[in-house]
Each structure stands twice: as structure tokens, then as C-alpha cells.
Amino acid sequence: MNHKTLKVEGIKTAGLDEGTFEGFASCFDNVDSVGDVVRRGAFAKALKSGRVTPLIWEHRSEDPRAYVGEVVEARETDEGLAIKGRFDLDTEHGAAAYRQVKGRRVEGLSIGYYVNRSQKAADGSTELLDLDLLEVSVVARGANDRALVTNVKSRPTAPTKSWLARRAADTLLATKGTTTMTSTARIEALTKGRDEQIKLITEIVETADKLQRDLTGEEAEQVQAATAKATDLDKKLKTAVADEDAISDALALAKSIGQPLRAGDDDGDRPKTGHLPLTGKGAKSLARSIARSSLDPQTKALVASGARTTAVELRSEIAEQGRPPQSILDVLPSRVVSATYSYLRQTVRTNNAAPVATGGTKPTSTYTVESVDGKLVVVAHVSEQIDHYTLSDNSNLEGFVESEMLYGLRTALENQIINGSGTAPNLRGLLNTSGIQSQAFATNALTSIRKAITKLESQGYTPGVLAVSADDWEAIELLTATSGATDVRGVPIDAVTRRLWGVQAVVSTVLPAKTAVLLDGSALAVDTDGAIDTRWSDAVSDDFVKNYVRARVESRFGLSVFKPMGIVSIATAAA
């Protein structure tokens, strides 16, 4: 405990009730001889605690007779800590102390305090910012801090040590049992260690209470040491419980949105792969999932601010039975990856395998690959203002989410996969990837596409997906009424499944004019984090006061091109 003594220009007793006095126990902004300065607000917490501050004669806290009264009022002013004290006139020492003060033979006030928080000022002094006020003493010598400070920076007396130890222990015991327990070896060990220290503290304190005495110096030290250990263990325990809660929350989230990184893998070592179902039944299922999460009874309202994460389940089938693919995403392979990743891209493919005579040198084939760094980018959009009641009264929320927000997201992603420039934040699309093949226009779109198929097959690739524009597909089908159909013995189209020469065709709205794309399905993959995030909010602009809400739908995607030679850009008309 520290002391600071203040010379007061007379402790005031005139005009007050018998036995009371007023004065300043501490002054603010005054640098003392050891470089301490008490700042305003230093006693704020202590004054709010409601504890009784004893009035002691000359800091003799070890002598019960020296407790001559108490502080009945205390407040901070611009000048310092103003107090009103009352002497206990029913005791000999209290009455004697009051007579000395009233007779102006004693003019000094001194505080006993404990430093909770301090800091170094620019001038090198120590600013005392938060103090525990333990006691106020009247002192015979009205000296200032500069005169007495070297004598008052002493170790705590036994009663003070007892008080400090009990106070720290009380704070610890008051929080016991507030930590939620989880059955793990780590938490059980920390709990056991903390409770052992608490048991030791309790036994020492209860023994002293039964004997109606303060803690001895040794007991106070034991309590303080045990309190420090228990407090440290309690902090570690709370951290451990928080870790367990975080894991539990993560597992719950994984259960609710699925585990796209591992689910369905044969060996558990590769990310899940399949096709992004953003059309047909897949889109409807996703829309229902988003709608259910938005209308969950655990949330206060549909438009409550907060994110909803919905898993995108990658499917093995290319398209629904009896229905041709509606999007290139239905047929392109997709996989779930981390936010940043890398993959190998083939740059050279030279096959020199040949028969070798006995003892002959075997030919070398060249299959050069390079490592390419990939990064998922956000594809997102926000709806216009939507009236709250229009949305809440609309029973077909599923249709709204699917036909508008999900369609827009899908179209934007298709455009990035085909045409992305590669300039951040855009993906580098297929048509802007170096190393892909090209097929010039030849006679008509049908002939050009057939020659592109030959190009892939001659390189050992398997044509698997053909992306064409609506105009080009129309032109191909209309060849049945032209000489072009006769030239190739009829148009080889399966209209039901939309196949051309056995290759799955997809009509795309994002292809440049007079361009089609043919590819081997193993040449690339659409990368995703496996989830779509939806946020409903009324916190944009003045939406809240006008009862509007907006929806934001977003996800993260990337594109990995493993074999550029397995992709052909086709000119479907003359330039």
C-alpha cells in the first residue's frame, strides 16, 4: 500500500456537526518528489464501489484503536478528492483525534492507496489513473508529499495485506462456476487445478473468519499466491471452453450447410468434384434451402440483418434425365477448393513412345507442366429496393430467389468462364487462356464444328462439351432444309438431348458473336468454395425508414485450365 500526504490550509470543522470535518485528501495534477501525479478520475471506480473508507490516525492500520472514524462523503472536484469525515466520538481515540483537528494542531490528510493503472507521461512523470482508496489518515505533521514520500513508500501492514488478499479472493470466488463445462481432458484438468486453489483459499479464509481475526502475513501470502494461480487457470479454462464452443459451432455449421470439401470422396484426399447444379432441380433445391434459412423461426424476421450460407451440392450427373443442359455450368466439371490454391497446367505434350530393340535407347516423351496459382474471386450482385410487405406476403419466395438472384449469379459466372479478361478482379476465361486451339470458319457452322472435333481427336483428346450461341444452334438445325444437310448426309443432331455428333451441346448467352467452344471435360474445372451466401438487409441508405430491403447473393469461384490443347475456339461464321 502506498501513502501520499497533503498539507491542507486548515481542515475545516467550523459550521459543521460535532465530530465532522471537510478537506482535500488528494490533489490532482501535482507532480510529487518521486515523479507521481494523480489525475482526475483516478478515484472514480473506488468511489462507486460503495466500500466504507476508514479514517485512521497516522496510518497505524495494525492498531484497532487507531481507527478513529470514517469517510462519510467523497467526491472528485477540479482540485482533487474532497472528503467529509466523521470522528467516532464514542471512543477515546476518536474523540482525542477530533480535538486535535478542531484545535488546528493537526492539519494534514494522507491517503493509503493501491495502484490499479498508471502510465508514463511525456515529461517522465508517472500518471496515476486508477487507484483503490484503502484509507484516509489524519497526520500530526502537515507536511507535503516531497517531505514524507520517502517514509511512506513502505510494504503493506498485516491488516492491509489481509484486506488485499481477501479482496482479490472475493473477486475470484464471485466468478466461480460461471464457466460452462465441456467434457474434454484439457478442460477437466484446468478445472481441477483451479478448484484446488479455490479450496485452499476458502479453507484459509474460513479459518480466520471463525477466529474473528485478520489473515496473518503468511496466510495472506498463501491466499494471494493461490488467487493468482486460480485466476490464471480460470483464464486458460475460459479460453479452452471458448475453443470448444467454436469447434462445436463449426461442426453445427458444417452439418447445416454440408461438408463440401470431403463429402463423397472415395479416398478422402481429394476435394469433392462434380457439376454445379444452378439450373433446373438443382436451382430449385438451392432456392428452397435459401428460403428455409431466411424464414427460419430462430431468426426474428426475413429481413433481419445477417448472412445465410447455403451449400452447393456438386452432382455427378451432367443433366436431368430427358432434359438437355440449360447452362454450361451443368456440364463443366467443378470442384471445391480453398480460397487460394495451385494446380498443374500442361504446356507441352509430345508422345514419342515406340518399339525399342534389345539394348536400344528408349525414346523420350515430353509432358511439360507448370504450376499455376489460383484464387477464388467473389461473384455477387444486389437487388434493387424491395418493399418489406411485398416480400413477406409473397408465398413464392423460392421462385423469386431462383429466377432472379440465382439466374443473375449463374449468368455472371458463365461470362467469366468464357470471356473473363484475367485483369483483377476478373477470372481469366477460356477464350483468353494462352495455348488453346482455334478452328477457322469452314463452309458453315456445322462443318466448322466437325473440323474442331477432328482437331481434338487427332491430339488424343475426347470432345465432351460444345458451347454454342442460340443463333448458331438455330443455323445448325436449319441446315436440314439446305444443301448443307445433304453434304453431310443429314444433320447429326439428337434434338431431345441436344447432342451434335454425339457431343453434348449447350446453348450459351454469353458467347461472342460467331464463336463456339469445344472442349474435353478433363481439360478444366470450375473452382468454388462450395457455398452461396445470401444477406437480407435494410441498412442501405434510407431503406430502413422507407421500409425497403435488399438482397445480396454471392459466392466465390475460380477457373483451372489443366490442358489448354483440350479446348478449341471455333469460328462459326465468316469474319
Side-chain angles (χ1 to χ4, degrees), residues 275-276 318-319 325 327-333 464-466 504-506 521:
H275 302 277
L276 282 172
I318 291 179
S327 164
I328 193 173
L329 299 177
D330 289 341
V331 293
L332 292 183
V465 178
L466 172 67
Q504 182 67 63
V506 181

Side-chain angles (χ1 to χ4, degrees), residues 27-32 36-40 78-79 127:
C27 282
F28 296 146
D29 305 325
N30 175 46
V31 180
D32 63 25
D36 289 346
V37 53
V38 181
R39 295 301 188 193
R40 185 173 183 179
D78 292 338
E79 293 81 13
E127 295 181 323

